[in-house]
Amino acid sequence: MIRQLYGVDDGALEEVFKRRAGISTAMESARQVAEDVRAGGDAAVRKYTKEFDGVELRGLEVTEDEMYNAVELIDYETIGHLETAIANIEAFHSLQRPAGDMWLTEISPGIRLGQKFTPLQRVGAYIPGGTASYPSTALMLIVPAKVAGVPEVIACTPPRKDGTVHPLTLAALDMAGADRVFKVGGVQAIAAMAYGTQSIPRVEKIVGPGNVYVTAAKIYVRDTVEIDMPAGPSEIVVIADDTANPSYIAADMIAQAEHDVNAMSILLTPSELLAEAVDIEIEKQKETASRRHIIEKAAMGIYVVDDIEVAAGVCDRIAPEHVEVMVRDPMLVLNRLHNAGTIYLGEYAPVAAGDYASGANHVLPTGGYARVFSGMNTMQFIKTTSVQAIEKEGLESIKDTIIALASIEGLDAHARSVSKRFEQ
């Protein structure tokens, strides 16, 4: 498992850290399903839910009774934990919201410019599910949307084999403030929210993670609806030196590997001793992991590099979902990192903290998309509109520039629209 890496060579790194599940391989299948749902509405959604999930649905929407009964099944201790997570998520995401609905400032006499902030009116949240339950993802999507002021948030999540949604997921959705919930998953859910069906309303933006087909579907429907980011199989890169605890590193790498066979867990370190110790710890800790069958298939690698600076450079090329920094001076490494979904500093900052309860968001770009996409945040749900309040003296101060540039571009009417205001 231990390999040597020399320098930051793009070609070599691309081959070493090549992602397994390419979106392009799923795009044609996603396109076919999406177009069927666009044309067939609810009937197509039911058809694909039966074909892919083995579930024959009558009603697509979770009823009030189903929601109430689900919440009643959750014990008080779990409710308390959800409340703690919600409070922290609200606190962090509230800090990201603009202080007011608008700002306007004078940049020169007679010219005031600003921005107006408007929440989206209806967004769709995709929560993975089916055989598993991900209440944390429900919180990470619904809470920021509500903090942003979105009046209507709908959620889609795959049904279990009996046609119901896991009670814990429903409880989390209810507590977070979801307005409507639908028992639909996969590409058909993404298409339904993008195009609208008889039961599922069309949204302005779709957010949330999923498998490679869900990610492909989000990219495909983007000509109709906005999306947050491509978010697929989980990834972690740990940057560590000889001060780090190998047991912690191994535990964190295994934690990400248990998500999916396409997950990626990487350690970059200049210490051969640490690399060997982590390798031993991984083998030891895997023995007792309940999802060992998945962990064994995930991409796990330990790479010895020249120094921490090289490690930071390699990490930037990978642009992973999660980065953990366990070194003597983590702030120094932080300043050298540019491409990551989220960064954890110190030995007591495991990814699991952000996954569940620290308050930061765990819905993050994967597959190298952290180079250009941000993780989930409050501003994902808010539009900014420029506002320009210009008085006569302000326009007069820039009219010659406007007229000259408009004339250079051959847009005489643009120039006249300004000069007309100063004709005697």
Side-chain angles (χ1 to χ4, degrees), residues 121-150:
Q121 294 303 294
R122 181 192 290 143
V123 300
Y126 184 83
I127 295 90
T131 57
S133 173
Y134 297 100
S136 58
T137 301
L139 303 185
M140 294 292 177
L141 298 175
I142 308 301
V143 172
K146 287 302 181 180
V147 167
V150 177

Side-chain angles (χ1 to χ4, degrees), residues 131 189 199 327 365 408 416-417 422:
T131 57
S199 298
V327 299
I408 289 171
R416 280 196 301 273
S417 73
F422 296 94

Side-chain angles (χ1 to χ4, degrees), residues 230-242:
S234 192
E235 305 165 338
I236 183 175
V237 170
V238 181
I239 298 175
D241 61 18
D242 56 8

Side-chain angles (χ1 to χ4, degrees), residues 304-386:
V304 177
V305 296
D306 293 332
D307 52 40
I308 290 297
E309 187 171 351
V310 170
V314 171
C315 184
D316 256 3
R317 295 298 195 279
I318 301 171
E321 178 186 20
H322 308 101
V323 178
E324 289 186 356
V325 180
M326 302 186 195
V327 299
R328 286 183 182 82
D329 187 352
M331 295 304 294
L332 184 63
V333 177
L334 176 64
N335 292 331
R336 291 173 174 167
L337 293 174
H338 307 93
N339 303 324
T342 187
I343 301 170
Y344 296 81
L345 302 179
E347 289 195 337
Y348 291 92
V351 169
D355 281 346
Y356 295 107
S358 70
N361 212 290
H362 78 206
V363 179
L364 304 163
T366 65
Y369 283 104
R371 291 186 185 91
V372 291
F373 282 91
S374 302
M376 180 58 55
N377 61 79
T378 303
M379 294 306 295
Q380 290 265 11
F381 304 100
I382 298 175
K383 298 182 297 180
T384 59
T385 304
S386 296

Side-chain angles (χ1 to χ4, degrees), residues 138-340:
L139 303 185
M140 294 292 177
L141 298 175
I142 308 301
V143 172
K146 287 302 181 180
V147 167
V150 177
E152 185 178 2
V153 183
I154 73 167
C156 283
T157 189
R160 297 184 293 182
K161 292 301 181 183
D162 62 359
T164 66
V165 174
H166 197 290
L168 195 51
T169 299
L170 288 183
L173 286 167
D174 184 59
M175 293 173 66
D179 296 287
R180 301 175 70 183
V181 181
F182 296 90
K183 298 177 278 190
V184 181
V187 176
Q188 61 269 30
I190 302 301
M193 290 189 285
Y195 305 130
T197 71
Q198 294 85 348
S199 298
I200 302 175
R202 181 175 177 175
V203 302
E204 295 171 336
K205 186 170 188 174
I206 297 173
V207 299
N211 62 23
V212 67
Y213 292 97
V214 167
T215 303
K218 286 171 65 179
I219 292 173
Y220 179 74
V221 301
R222 202 177 179 194
D223 63 340
T224 300
V225 64
E226 184 56 288
I227 66 169
D228 51 354
M229 72 199 84
S234 192
E235 305 165 338
I236 183 175
V237 170
V238 181
I239 298 175
D241 61 18
D242 56 8
T243 66
N245 187 316
S247 178
Y248 297 170
I249 296 171
D252 293 352
M253 291 176 68
I254 289 172
Q256 293 310 299
E258 76 172 346
H259 272 294
D260 190 287
V261 296
N262 290 307
M264 182 180 74
S265 295
I266 299 296
L267 168 63
L268 301 173
T269 179
S271 170
E272 290 190 15
L273 287 177
L274 179 70
E276 291 169 2
V278 171
D279 193 27
I280 293 169
E281 275 291 328
I282 287 175
E283 292 305 314
K284 186 169 84 173
Q285 292 184 31
K286 278 196 303 187
E287 292 294 325
T288 57
S290 62
R291 294 167 69 89
R292 182 177 178 179
H293 60 290
I294 295 174
I295 295 165
E296 294 280 9
K297 296 177 182 176
M300 300 184 72
I302 297 173
Y303 298 90
V304 177
V305 296
D306 293 332
D307 52 40
I308 290 297
E309 187 171 351
V310 170
V314 171
C315 184
D316 256 3
R317 295 298 195 279
I318 301 171
E321 178 186 20
H322 308 101
V323 178
E324 289 186 356
V325 180
M326 302 186 195
V327 299
R328 286 183 182 82
D329 187 352
M331 295 304 294
L332 184 63
V333 177
L334 176 64
N335 292 331
R336 291 173 174 167
L337 293 174
H338 307 93
N339 303 324

